[in-house]
């Protein structure tokens, strides 16, 4: 199993005139403390999570922070409707059967109704599920306060700063590229696992299809909007069953056809090669291969409350422990009690009023006697 991650070589784009820039250029990978931006004009380049985190952190010490995005981004908060975690609202089994346009409609109502991307200068030309996203809780406030100023993509560098695609320019001291990483596997032959995303072949983002025997699996080589841990756990469970001969892979021709189809669909959706899957549908597919997909019809008949929670509630890891291999007796309680479990750590425990009243009466009696 290859579990060392998919990104390890930083990408620093080369722009016209970059060699003439007298300031400091670095990648977000090496940005650890705010010392490098103390009192300086800073430009952060990128439109995803790292760019947002770096910009928010840098503005605490920098004189001014600019955020350059090539085509905007969709700003997403961690807190969803009612203050619950966003992923528990977005990732639910029943959404598997909803059309894409309706999911986008719901997203605009629940997630983006209080965020005006055009006013913030982050408007993307692509639809919300087909464009980069930035998970950040304070970016909107920082932009509205002027602490972070959005800018379009870079056209070229000058000796003291950059000129953007819209013709505007700024003088900056530090440029931080939060522009991602290359896929690089230094310890695996490129005939097995290709480095270039344009040619990389992985069946279901896990198995190299051209091996004579299925003895190699990539765990964590998937991009998705949702919690990664539960997804990687299902990948591991599937890989173990394949290694043990309890699951079989399709013929190489079928695997290659599906890889090519997925690649073409992602190109149409994102406008470039991108390895991105829908969290719920991907997990549901893996669970089916392992034999742990929840039997919804049976659940609704046998245990209506549990069936309703599995179908309409968050796609918790526990729903793939209800039946099949390695089922768990505590799965039902974990599913039914997820609300209490997710909020227990933030709630202030209520005082024991009975004990408090007894103490109050004892103190009052002691005072009266004295």
């Amino acid at each position: 199993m290859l579990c060392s991650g998919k990104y390890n070589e930083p990408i620093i784009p080369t722009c016209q005139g970059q060699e003439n820039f007298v300031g400091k250029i670095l990648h977000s990978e090496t940005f650890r403390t705010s010392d490098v931006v103390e009192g300086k004009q800073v430009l952060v380049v990128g439109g995803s999570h790292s760019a947002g985190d770096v910009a928010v952190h840098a503005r605490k010490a920098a004189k001014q922070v600019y955020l350059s995005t090539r085509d905007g981004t969709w700003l997403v908060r961690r807190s969803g409707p009612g203050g619950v975690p966003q992923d528990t609202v977005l990732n639910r089994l029943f959404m598997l059967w909803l059309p894409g346009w309706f999911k986008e409609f719901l997203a605009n109502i629940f997630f983006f109704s209080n965020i005006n991307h055009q006013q913030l200068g982050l408007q993307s030309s692509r639809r919300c599920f087909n464009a980069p996203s930035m998970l950040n809780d304070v970016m909107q406030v920082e932009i509205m306060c002027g602490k972070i100023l959005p800018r379009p993509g870079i056209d070229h560098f000058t000796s003291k700063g950059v000129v953007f695609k819209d013709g505007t320019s700024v003088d900056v001291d530090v440029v931080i590229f939060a522009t991602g990483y290359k896929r690089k596997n230094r310890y695996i032959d490129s005939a097995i696992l290709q480095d270039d995303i344009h040619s990389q072949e992985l069946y279901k983002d896990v198995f190299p299809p051209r091996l004579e025997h299925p003895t190699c699996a990539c765990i964590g080589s998937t991009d998705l909007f949702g919690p990664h841990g539960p997804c990687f756990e299902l990948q591991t469970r599937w890989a173990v069953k394949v290694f043990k001969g309890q699951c079989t892979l399709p013929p190489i021709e079928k695997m290659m056809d599906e890889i090519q189809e997925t690649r073409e669909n992602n190109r149409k959706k994102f406008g470039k090669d991108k390895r991105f899957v829908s969290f719920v549908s991907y997990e549901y597919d893996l669970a089916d291969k392992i034999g742990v997909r929840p039997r919804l019809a049976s659940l609704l008949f046998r245990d209506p409350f549990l069936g309703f929670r599995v179908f309409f509630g968050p796609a918790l890891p526990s729903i793939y422990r209800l039946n099949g291999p390695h089922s768990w007796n505590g799965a039902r309680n974990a599913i039914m009690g997820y609300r209490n479990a997710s909020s227990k750590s933030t709630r202030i425990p209520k005082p024991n009023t009975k004990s408090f009243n007894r103490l109050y009466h004892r103190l009052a009696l002691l005072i009266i006697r004295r």
Side-chain angles (χ1 to χ4, degrees):
M1 290 189 188
L2 313 180
C3 309
S4 53
K6 54 187 178 294
Y7 301 132
N8 50 47
E9 185 173 310
I11 297 175
I12 298 183
T14 302
C15 303
Q16 181 183 350
Q18 189 169 328
E19 67 280 0
N20 300 323
F21 181 61
V22 298
K24 187 177 183 62
I25 296 178
L26 65 151
H27 192 270
S28 57
E29 182 196 37
T30 59
F31 181 76
R32 292 291 181 268
T33 65
S34 57
D35 298 343
V36 70
V37 299
E38 186 79 37
K40 297 179 179 179
Q41 300 273 109
V42 180
L43 173 65
V44 180
V45 183
S48 197
H49 316 308
S50 295
D53 292 339
V54 170
V56 167
H57 185 74
R59 64 87 187 162
K60 299 176 182 178
K63 182 179 180 181
Q64 180 64 62
V65 174
Y66 301 91
L67 176 65
S68 171
T69 59
R70 184 166 47 188
D71 185 30
T73 187
W74 286 89
L75 190 60
V76 183
R77 294 176 176 174
R78 290 176 175 84
S79 178
V84 299
Q86 192 80 275
D87 62 293
T88 63
V89 179
L90 184 65
N91 297 315
R92 302 189 177 217
L93 283 187
F94 79 92
M95 292 188 176
L96 280 173
W97 292 272
L98 296 180
W101 66 267
F102 191 66
K103 293 179 185 178
E104 186 175 336
F105 172 74
L106 292 177
N108 280 290
I109 291 178
F110 291 110
F111 306 143
F112 306 125
S113 58
N114 60 347
I115 301 177
N116 189 328
H117 288 82
Q118 186 172 5
Q119 181 179 338
L120 294 175
L122 298 175
Q123 185 67 48
S124 174
S125 62
R126 305 187 71 86
R127 296 160 66 178
C128 61
F129 293 127
N130 299 6
S133 60
M134 179 183 292
L135 190 65
N136 199 291
D137 295 313
V138 298
M139 177 60 69
Q140 181 181 14
V141 176
E142 300 292 354
I143 293 176
M144 294 175 69
C145 293
K147 296 179 179 179
I148 298 176
L149 300 179
R151 290 292 184 266
I154 297 175
D155 183 74
H156 64 272
F157 275 78
T158 64
S159 60
K160 295 184 178 180
V162 297
V163 177
F164 299 106
K165 293 289 186 181
D166 62 355
T168 60
S169 61
V170 295
D171 291 342
V172 293
D173 305 301
V174 181
V175 177
I176 304 174
F177 282 103
T179 43
Y181 299 81
K182 295 178 183 178
R183 292 174 180 263
K184 201 76 173 176
N185 298 280
R186 297 183 175 90
Y187 55 91
I188 295 295
D189 193 295
S190 59
I192 299 174
L193 185 62
Q194 301 76 22
D195 292 329
D196 185 10
I197 189 174
H198 304 285
S199 58
Q200 191 174 83
E201 298 170 349
L202 279 178
Y203 177 64
K204 298 296 183 184
D205 288 337
V206 176
F207 287 100
R210 297 185 185 274
L211 290 179
E212 183 179 357
H213 303 288
T215 56
C216 178
C218 295
I219 307 301
S221 187
T222 308
D223 288 328
L224 67 158
F225 188 80
H228 288 55
C231 173
F232 299 163
E233 180 201 19
L234 282 174
Q235 289 180 339
T236 307
R237 294 172 69 184
W238 182 36
V240 170
K241 289 184 72 67
V242 170
F243 291 162
K244 294 177 70 175
Q246 297 173 352
C247 284
T248 58
L249 299 180
I252 181 173
E253 295 80 10
K254 187 174 182 180
M255 289 192 287
M256 291 303 299
D257 288 343
E258 184 169 329
I259 290 171
Q260 184 61 29
E261 182 182 0
T262 302
R263 183 179 295 155
E264 291 176 357
N265 290 338
N266 282 341
R267 284 174 184 167
K268 292 178 182 178
K269 185 174 183 179
F270 300 105
K272 61 179 179 179
D273 281 313
K274 186 177 179 66
R275 189 177 301 281
F276 192 89
V277 298
S278 171
F279 173 79
V280 178
S281 60
Y282 183 71
E283 280 206 333
Y284 205 63
D285 189 17
L286 293 183
D288 188 39
K289 295 181 181 302
I290 302 170
V292 296
R293 190 178 72 178
R295 306 184 184 108
L296 294 175
S298 174
L299 275 178
L300 288 170
F301 178 78
R302 178 169 44 87
D303 193 338
F305 292 103
L306 177 61
F308 186 87
R309 181 61 60 84
V310 168
F311 188 64
F312 291 104
L316 303 171
S318 304
I319 69 176
Y320 302 118
R321 296 287 182 175
L322 288 170
N323 55 265
H326 304 103
S327 58
W328 175 40
N329 291 332
R332 186 188 189 280
N333 292 336
I335 296 168
M336 300 302 294
Y338 87 93
R339 289 182 180 274
N340 182 62
S342 64
S343 60
K344 187 176 182 180
S345 61
T346 59
R347 287 201 308 258
I348 300 176
K350 294 181 180 180
N352 188 330
T353 54
K354 293 182 179 179
S355 299
F356 179 80
N357 287 338
R358 284 198 297 269
L359 176 61
Y360 174 81
H361 286 301
R362 287 180 182 177
L363 289 174
L365 185 60
L366 180 62
I367 293 173
I368 292 172
R369 285 178 177 176
R370 287 184 175 274

